[in-house]
Amino acid sequence: MQQICEMFESESEPLFNAPNELSAAVLDDCLFVLGTANVDNAERASPARGHFKEGHVALLFIRLCHVLKQSAEVKCHAIELYDAFMTEHVVQLRRHVRDACGSDDRSKERRRRRNRGKKEKMEEEVGRQWAMVVGRVRSQLLLRALSCIQIASKLLCRPSAVVSIDAIEEVLRKAGLRFGRTSIRKSELRVLDALGHHSTLPTPVVYLESLLEILGHNDQRVNLRALYHVSLQVLDLFYLHRNRVYAELMDRAMEGIRKRHLESEDERHSMSSSGFLPVTNDLMFASTAVISCAAYLLDHLTYCNVTRQLQSITQIPYDEIMDFTIEIGRASCRERV
């Protein structure tokens, strides 16, 4: 434990529980604001979101941000931007392809009455055109990812740390891709336009840092610096295995319901993919489990104390935090193997 803590002694950021620290009342207000925003975001979450921020996508951003020397906050923000952009981008492209393929006939209703076979031909044309569009999208994936990192760095970094066009050009060149400076600028605008220029998105890091600040205020024995940096590594693993972690978590919840013989219609719906959606978008829950897992990795003899305090802070049931912590830990073990 002591050796792990000493690894982070040279780190200058973040500065938790500074000498002129925030009062308990202010921290409570911050927690209330975050909690309210978290509930709102979880309840309004789209089922289409989340497909572009785990596995190979997360790994790409982890590597790119390492090369570009970007912070964990920029990395998480860029991942969330990319997921939101790609979700909207795919929907827009699919709509465009369908509209284009159906625009040759002025009257679709007349066409359907005249020849039902034309509908099948149109679907075949949609499929062919869509395959071409997917090819173009794939060729631009790295550029879009870099644009998301660039936008996130502009939002969160001091001017000297913002990802420059030169840096993006260098990454693209090493990847064997040739995009000019104009294309890089247009890509950034394309991402912003698709998002309606709403580029400020909630990320787990904001919740993680806030919870650690409150945790340190409540218990000064906790080594926040070490816990923070291990939590960031656990958060990377969580992103890498996000879908699998939530699938296992849903299975665990369903098994608990079956054991209690309480499978009412409402409970079955709550454990369906759509009913489980608020859980997969609950950043407070995810951040709490990430910190709990990091505490276990730092010191498995005392981590229960950290988890109990997190339960007190967030009011999330202890057993639910432990279930989530276990699933993230299992993903961590699989990664080591």
Side-chain angles (χ1 to χ4, degrees):
M1 173 65 178
Q2 183 64 30
Q3 291 177 337
I4 295 175
C5 293
E6 289 174 354
M7 289 171 59
F8 305 107
E9 287 306 314
S10 61
E11 299 288 346
S12 59
E13 293 180 342
L15 186 60
F16 291 110
N17 299 139
N20 298 321
E21 63 181 23
L22 299 174
S23 66
V26 173
L27 290 175
D28 284 342
D29 288 343
C30 290
L31 184 64
F32 176 78
V33 171
L34 284 174
T36 302
N38 181 60
V39 171
D40 185 51
N41 290 327
E43 290 180 347
R44 293 189 297 107
S46 167
R49 292 282 299 275
H51 298 290
F52 297 97
K53 62 179 179 183
E54 80 106 30
H56 293 300
V57 173
L59 182 60
L60 173 64
F61 278 91
I62 291 169
R63 289 175 173 173
L64 287 175
C65 287
H66 176 73
V67 170
L68 295 169
K69 296 179 173 59
Q70 294 299 303
S71 68
E73 190 174 7
V74 169
K75 175 174 58 185
C76 287
H77 201 109
I79 291 173
E80 298 298 333
L81 281 173
Y82 183 80
D83 179 57
F85 163 71
M86 286 300 296
T87 301
E88 183 62 28
H89 190 45
V90 169
V91 170
Q92 291 176 358
L93 290 174
R94 187 70 178 178
R95 187 184 303 124
H96 174 75
V97 169
R98 282 198 166 277
D99 290 346
C101 291
S103 62
D104 295 333
D105 263 321
R106 293 182 180 180
S107 176
K108 296 179 182 179
E109 185 62 32
R110 189 188 310 162
R111 181 195 61 206
R112 282 194 292 268
R113 288 199 304 266
R114 202 169 50 234
N115 189 349
R116 292 182 181 179
K118 284 251 182 157
K119 183 178 180 180
E120 294 181 2
K121 289 183 179 180
M122 190 189 80
E123 291 298 330
E124 290 177 2
E125 179 63 16
V126 168
R128 189 179 69 83
Q129 292 292 333
W130 180 244
M132 295 172 61
V133 169
V134 169
R136 289 198 297 270
V137 170
R138 283 176 176 167
S139 68
Q140 298 170 345
L141 287 180
L142 182 58
L143 175 62
R144 301 304 192 202
L146 288 165
S147 294
C148 291
I149 295 173
Q150 184 181 36
I151 294 168
S153 71
K154 288 180 177 180
L155 289 170
L156 301 168
C157 294
R158 57 186 182 275
S160 61
V162 169
V163 176
S164 66
I165 291 180
D166 290 338
I168 292 176
E169 270 191 310
E170 179 66 12
V171 173
L172 292 169
R173 184 188 64 79
K174 289 182 177 179
L177 299 173
R178 294 186 178 182
F179 289 99
R181 300 175 75 86
T182 300
S183 296
I184 294 172
R185 292 191 183 96
K186 285 183 177 179
S187 177
E188 182 182 9
L189 289 174
R190 182 72 182 88
V191 172
L192 290 171
D193 287 342
L195 297 175
H197 289 259
H198 298 302
S199 54
T200 304
L201 300 176
T203 71
V205 174
V206 174
Y207 290 85
L208 190 148
E209 291 181 350
S210 300
L211 289 173
L212 286 177
E213 179 71 22
I214 297 171
L215 181 64
H217 184 276
N218 294 345
D219 186 353
Q220 297 184 359
R221 296 170 300 174
V222 179
N223 189 315
L224 294 179
R225 182 169 293 176
L227 186 56
Y228 173 71
H229 287 281
V230 175
S231 293
L232 293 182
Q233 295 176 48
V234 173
L235 185 59
D236 282 349
L237 284 169
F238 170 66
Y239 267 115
L240 288 170
H241 303 287
R242 181 180 181 275
N243 288 354
R244 183 164 57 189
V245 168
Y246 280 123
E248 295 289 345
L249 197 62
M250 186 168 70
D251 289 344
R252 183 184 283 265
M254 292 180 69
E255 181 63 26
I257 289 174
R258 283 193 290 268
K259 286 181 178 179
R260 294 195 306 271
H261 304 291
L262 296 173
E263 285 190 274
S264 66
E265 188 65 31
D266 290 341
E267 284 181 311
R268 281 196 295 270
H269 172 71
S270 69
M271 289 300 104
S272 65
S273 297
S274 59
F276 203 68
L277 188 63
V279 177
T280 63
N281 289 276
D282 189 336
L283 298 183
M284 185 76 78
F285 189 19
S287 301
T288 300
V290 165
I291 296 172
S292 176
C293 186
Y296 176 81
L297 294 175
L298 277 171
D299 189 349
H300 67 278
L301 297 177
T302 62
Y303 86 101
C304 284
N305 176 55
V306 172
T307 305
R308 289 287 182 190
Q309 292 195 57
L310 289 170
Q311 186 274 326
S312 177
I313 293 168
T314 63
Q315 297 301 301
I316 299 172
Y318 180 81
D319 289 344
E320 293 184 13
I321 297 174
M322 289 303 301
D323 286 345
F324 207 159
T325 300
I326 289 169
E327 294 307 331
I328 296 175
R330 285 179 175 173
S332 175
C333 291
R334 292 190 193 105
E335 184 68 15
R336 289 182 181 180
V337 174

